[in-house]
Amino acid sequence: MTTATLKERLVFSSPSTGDPVGLSYMQPRTMKDLEQRRTMMETWASVHHGFLGRAPDYMNTAIMAYASASNLIMIPQEKDFNTDIHDQLDRYMKSIDLNAKKSVQLARLAWEISVSSFGGRQSVYERFFFGNSTVVNNRLYAEYQDSRAKYADRVNRFLT
């Protein structure tokens, strides 16, 4: 695969600076964006003859997933567009290239494709319900450090 082909499949122009940026940093907003991201990941796998473990740009894609996740938690139903909240839905659920209804349909499709079982839904819920995962992890770590002796004592009592 040529360098030009790789660049075409792995890079896009930054909307703010015009500089070339890895597609893993793009927050998908349209079906075309999702197709570009899929092509990028297929190209990674092809060039590296598959993956053992995580993709090279795993963190970039994870961060973009977090950034894009807000409408995964609340996806309105079709009937919600015919209620008194339709103005808010039209305002807050639209994307750059799609009106609110189409954006919701795309989000619902992405949900159906990527989250097919209770475990997957639970994972998404746990990941985003309490907020930023770094903040949550830091809080849990700090709370654990404060009560570490108590938990060690419980384990010792259980083992004896």
Short mmCIF file of all heavy atoms in Angstrom, two decimals, residues 23-48:
data_model
loop_
_atom_site.label_atom_id
_atom_site.label_comp_id
_atom_site.label_asym_id
_atom_site.label_seq_id
_atom_site.Cartn_x
_atom_site.Cartn_y
_atom_site.Cartn_z
N LEU A 23 -7.31 9.87 11.83
CA LEU A 23 -8.76 9.69 11.87
C LEU A 23 -9.25 9.18 13.22
O LEU A 23 -10.42 9.34 13.55
CB LEU A 23 -9.20 8.71 10.78
CG LEU A 23 -9.55 9.35 9.43
CD1 LEU A 23 -9.64 8.31 8.35
CD2 LEU A 23 -10.83 10.13 9.53
N SER A 24 -8.38 8.59 14.00
CA SER A 24 -8.80 8.11 15.32
C SER A 24 -9.20 9.27 16.23
O SER A 24 -9.87 9.06 17.23
CB SER A 24 -7.70 7.28 15.97
OG SER A 24 -6.53 8.05 16.09
N TYR A 25 -8.80 10.50 15.88
CA TYR A 25 -9.18 11.66 16.68
C TYR A 25 -10.48 12.30 16.20
O TYR A 25 -10.97 13.22 16.83
CB TYR A 25 -8.08 12.73 16.64
CG TYR A 25 -6.86 12.35 17.45
CD1 TYR A 25 -5.73 11.86 16.84
CD2 TYR A 25 -6.85 12.50 18.83
CE1 TYR A 25 -4.62 11.51 17.58
CE2 TYR A 25 -5.75 12.15 19.58
CZ TYR A 25 -4.64 11.66 18.94
OH TYR A 25 -3.53 11.32 19.68
N MET A 26 -11.03 11.82 15.10
CA MET A 26 -12.26 12.40 14.58
C MET A 26 -13.45 11.89 15.38
O MET A 26 -13.59 10.69 15.60
CB MET A 26 -12.48 12.05 13.10
CG MET A 26 -13.80 12.59 12.58
SD MET A 26 -14.15 12.34 10.84
CE MET A 26 -13.68 10.68 10.53
N GLN A 27 -14.31 12.81 15.81
CA GLN A 27 -15.55 12.42 16.47
C GLN A 27 -16.59 12.22 15.38
O GLN A 27 -17.01 13.17 14.74
CB GLN A 27 -16.00 13.50 17.44
CG GLN A 27 -17.22 13.12 18.22
CD GLN A 27 -17.58 14.18 19.24
OE1 GLN A 27 -16.88 15.16 19.44
NE2 GLN A 27 -18.70 13.98 19.89
N PRO A 28 -16.98 10.96 15.11
CA PRO A 28 -17.92 10.71 14.01
C PRO A 28 -19.26 11.40 14.23
O PRO A 28 -19.84 11.30 15.31
CB PRO A 28 -18.08 9.20 14.01
CG PRO A 28 -17.03 8.66 14.89
CD PRO A 28 -16.61 9.75 15.80
N ARG A 29 -19.73 12.09 13.20
CA ARG A 29 -21.01 12.79 13.29
C ARG A 29 -21.97 12.38 12.17
O ARG A 29 -23.14 12.72 12.23
CB ARG A 29 -20.79 14.30 13.26
CG ARG A 29 -19.95 14.81 14.41
CD ARG A 29 -19.84 16.32 14.38
NE ARG A 29 -18.89 16.82 15.34
CZ ARG A 29 -19.15 17.01 16.63
NH1 ARG A 29 -20.32 16.72 17.10
NH2 ARG A 29 -18.24 17.48 17.44
N THR A 30 -21.44 11.72 11.15
CA THR A 30 -22.28 11.31 10.03
C THR A 30 -21.97 9.86 9.67
O THR A 30 -20.98 9.28 10.16
CB THR A 30 -22.00 12.18 8.78
OG1 THR A 30 -20.65 11.93 8.34
CG2 THR A 30 -22.18 13.67 9.07
N MET A 31 -22.80 9.30 8.81
CA MET A 31 -22.56 7.94 8.34
C MET A 31 -21.22 7.87 7.59
O MET A 31 -20.47 6.91 7.74
CB MET A 31 -23.71 7.49 7.43
CG MET A 31 -23.62 6.04 7.03
SD MET A 31 -23.73 4.91 8.43
CE MET A 31 -25.48 4.90 8.69
N LYS A 32 -20.91 8.91 6.81
CA LYS A 32 -19.64 8.95 6.09
C LYS A 32 -18.46 8.92 7.07
O LYS A 32 -17.47 8.22 6.84
CB LYS A 32 -19.56 10.19 5.21
CG LYS A 32 -18.30 10.27 4.38
CD LYS A 32 -18.25 11.52 3.54
CE LYS A 32 -16.95 11.53 2.79
NZ LYS A 32 -16.41 12.84 2.57
N ASP A 33 -18.57 9.65 8.17
CA ASP A 33 -17.51 9.64 9.20
C ASP A 33 -17.32 8.24 9.76
O ASP A 33 -16.19 7.78 9.95
CB ASP A 33 -17.84 10.60 10.33
CG ASP A 33 -17.79 12.07 9.92
OD1 ASP A 33 -17.27 12.37 8.83
OD2 ASP A 33 -18.30 12.90 10.70
N LEU A 34 -18.43 7.56 10.05
CA LEU A 34 -18.34 6.19 10.57
C LEU A 34 -17.70 5.26 9.57
O LEU A 34 -16.89 4.40 9.93
CB LEU A 34 -19.73 5.68 10.96
CG LEU A 34 -20.36 6.30 12.20
CD1 LEU A 34 -21.80 5.86 12.34
CD2 LEU A 34 -19.56 5.96 13.44
N GLU A 35 -18.02 5.44 8.29
CA GLU A 35 -17.41 4.61 7.24
C GLU A 35 -15.92 4.88 7.14
O GLU A 35 -15.12 3.95 6.98
CB GLU A 35 -18.10 4.87 5.90
CG GLU A 35 -19.52 4.33 5.84
CD GLU A 35 -20.30 4.80 4.62
OE1 GLU A 35 -19.79 5.64 3.84
OE2 GLU A 35 -21.44 4.34 4.47
N GLN A 36 -15.51 6.16 7.26
CA GLN A 36 -14.09 6.49 7.25
C GLN A 36 -13.37 5.84 8.42
O GLN A 36 -12.26 5.33 8.27
CB GLN A 36 -13.89 8.01 7.31
CG GLN A 36 -14.11 8.74 6.01
CD GLN A 36 -13.81 10.22 6.18
OE1 GLN A 36 -14.60 10.96 6.75
NE2 GLN A 36 -12.67 10.64 5.68
N ARG A 37 -13.99 5.88 9.60
CA ARG A 37 -13.37 5.26 10.77
C ARG A 37 -13.24 3.75 10.58
O ARG A 37 -12.24 3.16 10.96
CB ARG A 37 -14.19 5.56 12.04
CG ARG A 37 -14.21 7.01 12.47
CD ARG A 37 -12.94 7.38 13.22
NE ARG A 37 -12.75 6.61 14.40
CZ ARG A 37 -13.06 6.99 15.62
NH1 ARG A 37 -13.58 8.17 15.83
NH2 ARG A 37 -12.86 6.20 16.64
N ARG A 38 -14.26 3.12 9.99
CA ARG A 38 -14.19 1.68 9.74
C ARG A 38 -13.04 1.37 8.77
O ARG A 38 -12.25 0.46 9.00
CB ARG A 38 -15.51 1.16 9.18
CG ARG A 38 -15.47 -0.36 8.98
CD ARG A 38 -16.65 -0.89 8.22
NE ARG A 38 -16.58 -0.41 6.86
CZ ARG A 38 -17.62 0.09 6.19
NH1 ARG A 38 -18.80 0.18 6.74
NH2 ARG A 38 -17.47 0.50 4.96
N THR A 39 -12.94 2.17 7.70
CA THR A 39 -11.85 1.97 6.73
C THR A 39 -10.50 2.14 7.40
O THR A 39 -9.56 1.38 7.14
CB THR A 39 -12.00 2.95 5.55
OG1 THR A 39 -13.26 2.73 4.92
CG2 THR A 39 -10.88 2.79 4.55
N MET A 40 -10.38 3.12 8.30
CA MET A 40 -9.13 3.33 9.03
C MET A 40 -8.76 2.08 9.83
O MET A 40 -7.63 1.61 9.77
CB MET A 40 -9.29 4.53 9.98
CG MET A 40 -8.15 4.71 10.95
SD MET A 40 -8.54 5.76 12.37
CE MET A 40 -9.80 4.82 13.20
N MET A 41 -9.74 1.53 10.55
CA MET A 41 -9.46 0.36 11.38
C MET A 41 -9.15 -0.87 10.52
O MET A 41 -8.28 -1.67 10.88
CB MET A 41 -10.62 0.10 12.33
CG MET A 41 -10.74 1.16 13.39
SD MET A 41 -12.13 0.85 14.47
CE MET A 41 -12.16 2.34 15.41
N GLU A 42 -9.85 -1.02 9.40
CA GLU A 42 -9.56 -2.13 8.49
C GLU A 42 -8.14 -1.99 7.94
O GLU A 42 -7.42 -2.98 7.79
CB GLU A 42 -10.57 -2.16 7.34
CG GLU A 42 -11.95 -2.62 7.75
CD GLU A 42 -12.98 -2.46 6.65
OE1 GLU A 42 -12.72 -1.76 5.63
OE2 GLU A 42 -14.08 -3.03 6.79
N THR A 43 -7.73 -0.75 7.64
CA THR A 43 -6.39 -0.51 7.12
C THR A 43 -5.34 -0.85 8.18
O THR A 43 -4.33 -1.48 7.89
CB THR A 43 -6.23 0.95 6.66
OG1 THR A 43 -7.22 1.22 5.66
CG2 THR A 43 -4.86 1.21 6.08
N TRP A 44 -5.57 -0.43 9.43
CA TRP A 44 -4.66 -0.80 10.51
C TRP A 44 -4.46 -2.31 10.54
O TRP A 44 -3.34 -2.80 10.58
CB TRP A 44 -5.24 -0.43 11.86
CG TRP A 44 -5.19 0.98 12.31
CD1 TRP A 44 -4.44 2.00 11.79
CD2 TRP A 44 -5.93 1.53 13.39
NE1 TRP A 44 -4.68 3.14 12.49
CE2 TRP A 44 -5.58 2.89 13.47
CE3 TRP A 44 -6.84 1.01 14.29
CZ2 TRP A 44 -6.12 3.73 14.43
CZ3 TRP A 44 -7.36 1.85 15.24
CH2 TRP A 44 -7.02 3.20 15.30
N ALA A 45 -5.56 -3.02 10.57
CA ALA A 45 -5.50 -4.49 10.67
C ALA A 45 -4.79 -5.08 9.47
O ALA A 45 -3.98 -6.01 9.61
CB ALA A 45 -6.90 -5.07 10.81
N SER A 46 -5.06 -4.56 8.29
CA SER A 46 -4.44 -5.09 7.07
C SER A 46 -2.93 -4.86 7.06
O SER A 46 -2.15 -5.77 6.79
CB SER A 46 -5.09 -4.43 5.85
OG SER A 46 -4.42 -4.81 4.68
N VAL A 47 -2.52 -3.64 7.38
CA VAL A 47 -1.10 -3.29 7.35
C VAL A 47 -0.32 -4.08 8.40
O VAL A 47 0.81 -4.49 8.18
CB VAL A 47 -0.92 -1.77 7.54
CG1 VAL A 47 0.53 -1.41 7.82
CG2 VAL A 47 -1.43 -1.02 6.33
N HIS A 48 -0.95 -4.32 9.55
CA HIS A 48 -0.28 -5.02 10.65
C HIS A 48 -0.57 -6.52 10.65
O HIS A 48 -0.24 -7.21 11.61
CB HIS A 48 -0.70 -4.42 12.00
CG HIS A 48 -0.22 -3.02 12.17
ND1 HIS A 48 1.06 -2.70 12.52
CD2 HIS A 48 -0.87 -1.83 12.01
CE1 HIS A 48 1.19 -1.39 12.58
NE2 HIS A 48 0.05 -0.84 12.27
#
